[in-house]
Amino acid sequence: MNPIQSPTTAPDARQRRTILIAVCVALMAVVASVSGLNVAQPDLAVDLEASQSTVLWIINIYTLTLAALLLPLGALGDRLGRKPVLVTGLILFGLAAAVAGLAPSAGVMLAARLVSGVGAAMIMPITLAVITSTFPEEERGRAIGVWTGVAGGGGIVGMFLSAALVDVANWRWLFVLPVVLVVVALAMALRSVPDSREATPHSFDTTGALTSVVAVVGLIFCLQEGPERGWSAAAPLLGLAVGALATLAFVIRELRRGGAALLDVRLFRERRLAGGSITLLAVFGVQAGIFVVLFPFFQEVLGWSGLLSTVALMPMAVLMMATSGLAPRLAERIGARATMAGGIALAGAGLALMAAVVSVDGGYLSVLPGMLAMGAGMGLSMTPSTEAITGALPSGRQGVASALNDVTRELGTALGVALLGALLSAGYRSAIDTRLDNVPDDTADTAREGIANAVDVSRTAGPHAQDLVRAARESFVDGWQRAMWVGVAVMGALLLYILARGPQRPVAAAEDEPEPAGTTAA
């Protein structure tokens, strides 16, 4: 294997610290923008005179664009140079965020969010690729642990800061944070991040890139629209069909291209790549599904504000980020598979604890222990999983490896929101049906739509108000428990898979994988 060579000398320890800070600041800007606008939906609708559907597209189009372009833009970073692609992405992302903050209409906001997604897709895979191609093997795991902690906990931190800004100012100030982060990251990247790129005689796999875009757009569109329109509606079914057919076409195309493929799908036979990808898919799916459950619990069951609800998630985020940094050291001692399995078992135990103990009267303390166990378990499992993915691909393809890691996270997030959200809704409706015997039909029909609807209609329910609110809260907890037990089952199946098929050896660079034609530094 021909490793990427530095044009002069390798970065010293001080420069590596600066590089790590730079890429993590850039990553924070991207992940904070994924969830930040969720706290400002009502304000967006009023100020931009937008429908609820348009507001959801303002939020979702960023995630959709980001996920769709990660793989092709990560591959382009390998070829064109990681530093220029990172710098271009930061400039594009920062300008789009500034336009979004000043947007006079929903149309301008949609366009700005789409361009932000393009910039984010240039930034996110390159940040991890810079780490894996710059840090020496003995330091790489700890650097990836820091990156993983920011990727996992940064979204919660972003939600907290966004909620605080909305409370003290207005939604337009939400875009100040990513602009500031981009300026800091850009200044540091220009000064400290080295450039590296892949040298290959093969042409860029344009067909594979376009097919991957169609596949990801179709699948994520289905997962985003299914809960809103109904899974039997034409749009989600069309998205599923297009996504599935494009995925099949992508696999066939890449098998035919072999070593010249955008992503050599034959590598999924290797334990590290398969185990890391499946773990991240499941862990991020469960994490996203947990947030779907926790926010309504805090706001509608406990009656907390958006800001306080976000603060309530911070212990989980802090523990996740801390254990992400601890995981590489633990993996060095007991192995990557044991570390991943321990994290998965701990996260599953946290889910089970929440499902068993949560109650309306128990409040926050009934879910806090489970949240802490979940945070610690996810942190322990995410870092070795990310190392497994990046270690399975050769050094010249780290942009692709990083993009695959990120696509897996985005697909898992969309899948978890769709699956656990649907289970929660179904469980809520089933439970509340038995508690509405004395409530007028029109009020009962509204209450069945969700806990927020039930709390809202209770204001006009007269003598039934208190009973209606109590019924809705208890039914929500019943739905919560059903969704959480499914999550426990998913984590249990994942644990068995990792114990049987997890990485057997350290997840260092893939020294046994052939390097595609050699790599050079710019």
Side-chain angles (χ1 to χ4, degrees), residues 144-227:
I144 290 176
V146 175
W147 185 95
T148 303
V150 174
I156 301 176
V157 176
M159 280 192 292
F160 165 71
L161 295 175
S162 298
L165 286 170
V166 169
D167 273 11
V168 302
N170 62 59
W171 66 267
R172 295 188 183 275
W173 283 86
L174 296 179
F175 296 97
V176 173
L177 174 64
V179 170
V180 171
L181 291 174
V182 161
V183 170
V184 173
L186 184 60
M188 297 180 72
L190 287 171
R191 186 176 71 250
S192 62
V193 172
D195 193 16
S196 58
R197 67 189 69 192
E198 172 194 14
T200 175
H202 303 297
S203 61
F204 183 72
D205 187 9
T206 304
T207 302
L210 293 175
T211 308
S212 74
V213 170
V214 175
V216 174
V217 167
L219 293 175
I220 291 190
F221 177 82
C222 170
L223 293 172
Q224 287 180 344
E225 293 297 303

Side-chain angles (χ1 to χ4, degrees), residues 114-373:
L114 187 147
V115 176
S116 291
V118 176
M122 300 173 77
I123 297 169
M124 195 169 186
I126 300 303
T127 56
L128 182 56
V130 166
I131 290 174
T132 56
S133 62
T134 301
F135 279 74
E137 182 178 330
E138 62 273 14
E139 297 180 15
R140 193 176 303 144
R142 295 177 185 179
I144 290 176
V146 175
W147 185 95
T148 303
V150 174
I156 301 176
V157 176
M159 280 192 292
F160 165 71
L161 295 175
S162 298
L165 286 170
V166 169
D167 273 11
V168 302
N170 62 59
W171 66 267
R172 295 188 183 275
W173 283 86
L174 296 179
F175 296 97
V176 173
L177 174 64
V179 170
V180 171
L181 291 174
V182 161
V183 170
V184 173
L186 184 60
M188 297 180 72
L190 287 171
R191 186 176 71 250
S192 62
V193 172
D195 193 16
S196 58
R197 67 189 69 192
E198 172 194 14
T200 175
H202 303 297
S203 61
F204 183 72
D205 187 9
T206 304
T207 302
L210 293 175
T211 308
S212 74
V213 170
V214 175
V216 174
V217 167
L219 293 175
I220 291 190
F221 177 82
C222 170
L223 293 172
Q224 287 180 344
E225 293 297 303
E228 295 296 323
R229 305 192 187 195
W231 294 104
S232 60
L237 290 177
L238 179 62
L240 178 61
V242 170
L245 290 173
T247 300
L248 179 61
F250 177 76
V251 171
I252 294 173
R253 164 76 179 181
E254 301 308 278
L255 285 173
R256 289 177 177 173
R257 292 270 297 184
L262 183 77
L263 173 64
D264 189 350
V265 295
R266 295 172 299 178
L267 290 172
F268 281 98
R269 294 195 296 256
E270 209 264 1
R271 287 190 174 199
R272 288 176 296 171
L273 189 60
S277 298
I278 291 172
T279 299
L280 286 183
L281 185 76
V283 168
F284 270 81
V286 169
Q287 180 195 45
I290 290 297
F291 292 162
V292 169
V293 174
L294 282 174
F295 268 99
F297 178 78
F298 293 149
Q299 293 180 300
E300 304 298 344
V301 175
L302 303 185
W304 291 359
S305 66
L307 179 59
L308 185 57
S309 299
T310 309
V311 171
L313 291 173
M314 293 302 290
M316 179 179 177
V318 170
L319 197 55
M320 185 192 310
M321 297 173 79
T323 53
S324 293
L326 174 65
R329 300 178 185 179
L330 190 60
E332 290 174 2
R333 292 188 176 185
I334 66 174
R337 177 165 57 177
T339 304
M340 291 168 66
I344 293 165
L346 187 57
L351 280 173
L353 186 60
M354 282 194 284
V357 178
V358 64
S359 67
V360 175
D361 296 327
Y364 183 57
L365 292 180
S366 70
V367 299
L368 180 59
M371 286 171 54
L372 294 176

